[in-house]
Amino acid sequence: MDAFDRQIRKQVSSLFKSIEGRMTPEEMKRIKTAYRFARMAHKTQVRQAGGPYIIHPIAVARIIGEELQLGANSIIAAFLHDVVEDTPYTVEDIRKRFGDDVAFLVRVVTKEKKEHYEMSKQLDNFKQMLDSVQYDIRAILIKLADRLHNMRTLSSMHANKQMKIAGETDYFYAPLANRLGLYDIKTELQNLSLRYRCPQEYAALEEALRKEEEENCEQLKSFTDRIHKLLLKKGISARLEVNYRTPYSLWLRMKKFGMDFKHLDSKRAIWVIFPDETSLSEKNRCLHIYSLLTDVFKEKPHSISNYVDSPKENGYQSFHIKLLNEQGGWEEIHLSSERMVRNSRLGCVADRTDSNIDNWIHKFRSVLKDIAFHIQEGSFIENVVSNFYNDDIRVFTPKGHGIILPQRATALDFAYEIHSSIGDHAQYARINGKLCSVKTVLRRGDCVEIGVNENTSPKPDWLNHVLTYTAKHHLQSQLRKVKVIPYQRCSHCHPLPGDELIGFQSGDKRITIHKRNCYEAISLASRAGDTIIDVDFKEDVDILYPVRVNVKAVDRYHLLRDLIDCITEKLNLSISGLTTITVDEIVDCTINFSVHSARELQDIVSYLYVVKGVDEVRRQELK
């Protein structure tokens, strides 16, 4: 215990010393009081890894105070974040001693104990934490600090507990840190998650990285020395850092590109970090250094990523290029100011102005309220993850207006982001001037134009081709208005209203309808005749059913035009597919379109028989 006491005193003294320069004497007094209260409240508790429990609140407070540099109330709440959950003290006790603000933060990070959870214990806790952002972002930062220290000490847990906590971290907490711009915390959480989820893979990658660094140490030093000397010669003071990607980052890239470690490029990045100054803009300084470097080193074509003008949604800024090294490999170079590096670490709390914090809170608040109000139970977290936690891309309208979307978003996501009516009537897209489907996945920097048609409406499969909550929400709303037939149609005979039909009712009361000459119906009638019921499958002007006909005819001038006119002009129906082959003056034409009923299909067949040269028209079953 003496060893633990020395460790505790050392850690607390380090925290107090690091924050006292930006705290008032009154604030320091309240912080020290909070520490003493937390130590007293947890005095009988021990950590699973051994040692007094107070070690954990101290570690969380250090992350909040030293790594995130938050204010006094956040540090106090970090000391007290487990008091209500794990000791007899209540939120009211916290309020009386430390005020309403601290009590609010502690209440939000305290897991609610319920007899019945809306979704599950884990998902309800996620939702509770996210809901806190409607009022204050500090609560989430405390929870992230709590999770970070738990991950740093996860080795003391059993394997199944490690998997649960690591899975939560990788799926929820790390992407949340990324969206808040907390790059260092995001990276550490992801890496620790892989370490405990897949320890063998992690160890193999760690060893491969060690060998990579060892083998490339000398050539890398030679390359960075050349850059440093070049910049000094031109009067530019800058420091260089070589940062190897973490095992998690490499694992993710290997999985994404289907490569092994040996053949994976960009295993590291060289940061050229220049001091902050006001005489030149950061962009101009990046461009100046870029110009100097590319005068000496060969630049990889199309390798520029300008995150200075177009920051990521989490606020990340830098200027990326790739330069050829002496061994014939491409080195990834990041040009950044000290401010950019600092902001990458502190994310949303780097700029502590009220307007900046309000912007972050507003972004979370508006979307979370919308999601919580509209979506079905059980899909809350999935929608939050898809909307907030994917890495983002910036695409542009033809007028140059930037739109932020998650990676793998489609032109449909873009359309709904512009306006719901544009999404609902999106017929096609032009991406960088090229005609494309609205389902096309977008890439960073694409210029996107959406073509609309008032006769186009949302289709059920569109839901499989959107990522953003905005698009999903509007699509679900529109699709709910679409009439649904009360029966399940046989997938073999594809019956239509007006066909001679028979129905079968299954044990779950679902009714499947067939044409009476369908082999499946005949088979079912012989095996389950008691399930046969009468059906009234009526024509509805709002519902169309896909059909296919095959036409054989003698070739002639304008034959194809006359065939099409029978469908599009006489009955105003749209053709979805057409294939035609002519062999020895005999035309074999297959036409796909949609009809309201068997009667309408028969009318079309009759019209087609009247066309000059047509010899045979028959309905084909859809596959």
Side-chain angles (χ1 to χ4, degrees):
M1 291 305 297
D2 288 341
F4 281 124
D5 282 341
R6 287 194 297 273
Q7 179 187 349
I8 290 168
R9 285 195 298 271
K10 181 179 179 181
Q11 290 182 356
V12 171
S13 298
S14 174
L15 170 61
F16 293 160
K17 184 177 180 180
S18 68
I19 64 174
E20 62 185 358
R22 55 187 182 86
M23 300 291 169
T24 66
E26 178 59 29
E27 287 173 331
M28 286 302 302
K29 182 179 178 181
R30 292 178 64 238
I31 290 170
K32 291 177 181 179
T33 301
Y35 158 66
R36 289 192 293 269
F37 179 75
R39 185 160 191 181
M40 181 270 295
H42 292 296
K43 64 183 178 182
T44 62
Q45 296 175 311
V46 294
R47 297 266 293 162
Q48 189 160 343
Y53 190 85
I54 191 63
I55 291 173
H56 173 64
I58 292 171
V60 175
R62 290 191 69 182
I63 294 170
I64 290 295
E66 296 175 355
E67 297 183 38
L68 294 178
Q69 299 180 18
L70 295 183
N73 282 356
S74 299
I75 298 172
I76 292 170
F79 274 126
L80 307 175
H81 76 277
D82 278 336
V83 165
V84 173
E85 189 172 333
D86 295 338
T87 79
Y89 292 99
T90 65
V91 172
E92 192 56 37
D93 295 327
I94 302 295
R95 180 178 286 106
K96 288 177 182 177
R97 286 173 169 81
F98 301 101
D100 291 340
D101 189 46
V102 171
F104 161 75
L105 293 173
V106 173
R107 179 180 63 78
V108 169
V109 299
T110 300
K111 295 176 182 176
E112 292 183 2
K113 296 177 181 178
K114 305 176 183 178
E115 289 187 14
H116 303 287
Y117 292 94
E118 293 178 29
M119 296 174 279
S120 71
K121 184 177 180 180
Q122 285 172 284
L123 295 182
D124 278 20
N125 288 332
F126 293 157
K127 187 175 184 299
Q128 176 193 346
M129 183 175 61
L130 287 170
D131 284 344
S132 73
V133 185
Q134 297 178 25
Y135 312 101
D136 200 314
I137 212 164
R138 295 172 299 165
I140 275 188
L141 298 176
I142 293 171
K143 199 66 181 176
L144 278 172
D146 177 37
R147 176 51 57 114
L148 180 58
H149 183 249
N150 284 335
M151 289 299 294
R152 287 172 175 173
T153 56
L154 198 58
S155 59
S156 62
M157 299 283 186
H158 293 297
N160 59 342
K161 190 74 170 178
Q162 288 178 346
M163 182 63 199
K164 174 184 176 293
I165 295 173
E168 286 180 349
T169 300
D170 196 27
Y171 182 73
F172 183 80
Y173 289 98
L176 174 57
N178 178 64
R179 180 53 64 194
L180 290 169
L182 302 168
Y183 180 80
D184 285 0
I185 289 179
K186 180 265 295 189
T187 301
E188 187 175 356
L189 287 175
Q190 288 176 329
N191 211 45
L192 288 168
S193 173
L194 180 64
R195 178 181 175 184
Y196 290 107
R197 283 189 297 107
C198 308
Q200 293 180 358
E201 282 189 76
Y202 183 89
L205 283 169
E206 202 170 38
E207 176 61 18
L209 263 177
R210 185 193 65 76
K211 289 182 178 177
E212 177 84 11
E213 290 187 51
E214 189 177 275
E215 291 170 1
N216 290 278
C217 180
E218 290 187 12
Q219 66 94 355
L220 195 55
K221 185 177 185 307
S222 172
F223 184 76
T224 54
D225 283 348
R226 285 183 65 195
I227 292 177
H228 193 249
K229 289 175 182 177
L230 170 64
L231 296 180
L232 282 179
K233 186 177 179 181
K234 299 296 182 179
I236 296 175
S237 173
R239 61 186 180 91
L240 273 68
E241 290 183 0
V242 177
N243 293 321
Y244 275 85
R245 296 188 185 276
T246 63
Y248 179 90
S249 175
L250 294 168
W251 171 82
L252 204 62
R253 289 168 65 83
M254 289 162 63
K255 186 177 177 183
K256 179 179 179 180
F257 298 115
M259 293 182 177
D260 59 11
F261 180 87
K262 180 180 178 181
H263 295 94
L264 196 67
D265 63 357
S266 299
K267 297 187 184 79
R268 60 181 176 254
I270 298 171
W271 289 69
V272 178
I273 305 167
F274 52 85
D276 298 330
E277 64 170 50
T278 56
S279 59
L280 269 178
S281 71
E282 290 174 320
K283 176 183 176 180
N284 283 339
R285 298 199 73 191
C286 285
L287 290 175
H288 181 46
I289 294 173
Y290 161 75
S291 177
L292 293 173
L293 292 178
T294 51
D295 282 345
V296 176
F297 299 95
K298 180 68 176 178
E299 172 192 2
K300 184 177 183 179
H302 313 296
S303 68
I304 290 177
S305 294
N306 181 6
Y307 296 116
V308 178
D309 283 339
S310 301
K312 292 187 178 183
E313 180 75 350
N314 61 15
Y316 174 83
Q317 286 183 292
S318 189
F319 191 92
H320 296 188
I321 56 172
K322 289 186 178 180
L323 303 179
L324 194 66
N325 62 28
E326 294 168 344
Q327 288 70 40
W330 297 107
E331 297 286 356
E332 187 173 320
I333 313 295
H334 295 183
L335 310 180
S336 305
S337 67
E338 293 284 1
R339 182 198 66 82
M340 294 177 192
V341 174
R342 184 169 59 253
N343 285 8
S344 178
R345 180 170 62 87
L346 295 175
C348 62
V349 294
D351 177 2
R352 287 182 173 75
T353 61
D354 290 341
S355 61
N356 179 63
I357 297 296
D358 285 346
N359 285 339
W360 282 92
I361 294 174
H362 177 75
K363 169 74 175 176
F364 275 72
R365 179 191 295 145
S366 59
V367 178
L368 286 174
K369 277 187 173 180
D370 206 15
I371 293 173
F373 182 77
H374 288 103
I375 68 174
Q376 294 180 348
E377 184 177 294
S379 59
F380 179 84
I381 296 300
E382 287 79 2
N383 279 269
V384 171
V385 168
S386 67
N387 189 75
F388 272 154
Y389 303 157
N390 287 289
D391 202 0
D392 55 81
I393 60 173
R394 185 184 295 265
V395 296
F396 298 91
T397 68
K399 293 185 178 180
H401 177 61
I403 303 291
I404 297 290
L405 293 170
Q407 275 189 356
R408 302 183 302 281
T410 65
L412 271 175
D413 288 300
F414 176 88
Y416 278 106
E417 199 71 21
I418 299 296
H419 198 279
S420 59
S421 65
I422 293 178
D424 288 342
H425 300 294
Q427 184 180 28
Y428 64 87
R430 289 192 187 277
I431 301 173
N432 304 320
K434 183 180 179 181
L435 183 65
C436 299
S437 161
V438 292
K439 300 173 185 176
T440 304
V441 174
L442 301 177
R443 296 175 178 273
R444 183 176 283 112
D446 281 344
C447 180
V448 186
E449 178 184 357
I450 301 295
V452 297
N453 185 331
E454 287 302 313
N455 295 321
T456 300
S457 58
K459 300 170 180 61
D461 74 317
W462 282 12
L463 279 170
N464 300 323
H465 298 278
V466 291
L467 277 182
T468 63
Y469 168 70
T470 301
K472 288 182 180 179
H473 166 60
H474 283 294
L475 272 174
Q476 289 167 344
S477 176
Q478 289 299 104
L479 291 173
R480 278 194 290 268
K481 300 175 185 176
V482 177
K483 290 184 179 179
V484 179
I485 62 172
Y487 308 113
Q488 181 175 329
R489 297 166 68 224
C490 171
S491 60
H492 297 281
C493 65
H494 303 285
L496 300 172
D499 280 329
E500 290 186 309
L501 302 174
I502 189 171
F504 294 86
Q505 188 171 36
S506 62
D508 58 5
K509 303 300 183 184
R510 285 187 303 175
I511 298 172
T512 304
I513 55 174
H514 304 254
K515 289 196 291 186
R516 284 179 174 265
N517 62 1
C518 173
Y519 177 81
E520 288 289 322
I522 297 170
S523 175
L524 278 170
S526 69
R527 292 182 287 108
D530 292 340
T531 66
I532 297 174
I533 61 170
D534 291 327
V535 292
D536 186 15
F537 189 27
K538 292 182 178 179
E539 178 179 345
D540 190 314
V541 295
D542 293 324
I543 302 178
L544 288 164
Y545 304 93
V547 294
R548 177 182 297 154
V549 296
N550 180 256
V551 178
K552 286 194 175 165
V554 178
D555 194 19
R556 65 171 174 83
Y557 185 61
H558 278 332
L559 171 66
L560 192 58
R561 183 195 66 182
D562 293 343
L563 293 176
I564 292 171
D565 281 350
C566 287
I567 299 170
T568 60
E569 296 300 322
K570 286 187 171 64
L571 288 175
N572 295 315
L573 298 172
S574 297
I575 292 176
S576 59
L578 186 150
T579 59
T580 180
I581 299 174
T582 303
V583 179
D584 297 333
E585 301 298 316
I586 304 300
V587 175
D588 190 326
C589 182
T590 301
I591 309 172
N592 287 28
F593 53 98
S594 295
V595 297
H596 297 91
S597 65
R599 175 195 55 79
E600 193 169 57
L601 175 58
Q602 188 54 48
D603 287 345
I604 291 172
V605 170
S606 299
Y607 290 140
L608 290 170
Y609 265 119
V610 175
V611 173
K612 182 182 176 182
V614 170
D615 181 72
E616 181 184 353
V617 182
R618 57 188 175 87
R619 177 179 173 182
Q620 282 189 342
E621 297 302 340
L622 298 167
K623 301 298 183 184

